[in-house]
Amino acid sequence: MIAFEVNDMTCGHCVSTITKALKATDKDAKVQIDLATHRVQVEPVSADAEELAEAIKDAGYTPVPVEAAAGEAAPQKRGSCCGCR
């Protein structure tokens, strides 16, 4: 299981966008997202952590590997994909 903290994920639309980006990278991956904790967990089939992080970045978000997240917060985006906050 590969986990990221995505602090600039703020709504259901963000969750949908990230899920679609991850599935486009690895269609058979199991994706679990907890919006309340900003946690994205992926059980990949064919992609590695770097490819998954890049997919999230390309979707407009800032993934922080959970290992690096302790004591280090991801920068907050001004607004989000759909303008909510």
Side-chain angles (χ1 to χ4, degrees):
M1 185 73 69
I2 298 168
F4 301 98
E5 187 173 311
V6 185
N7 286 322
D8 48 359
M9 175 179 63
T10 59
C11 68
H13 182 264
C14 299
V15 170
S16 177
T17 300
I18 290 171
T19 301
K20 287 177 186 174
L22 292 169
K23 288 291 196 171
T25 301
D26 185 343
K27 70 177 183 147
D28 295 319
K30 189 182 289 186
V31 178
Q32 297 176 327
I33 299 180
D34 184 344
L35 181 58
T37 61
H38 303 280
R39 184 66 50 102
V40 175
Q41 294 182 311
V42 185
E43 190 173 318
V45 174
S46 62
D48 62 23
E50 188 175 314
E51 291 170 310
L52 297 170
E54 195 61 36
I56 296 171
K57 288 177 191 173
D58 288 347
Y61 299 90
T62 311
V64 176
V66 168
E67 298 78 25
E72 178 185 332
Q76 290 289 328
K77 264 171 92 172
R78 190 88 179 137
S80 73
C81 63
C82 58
C84 68
R85 196 81 177 120

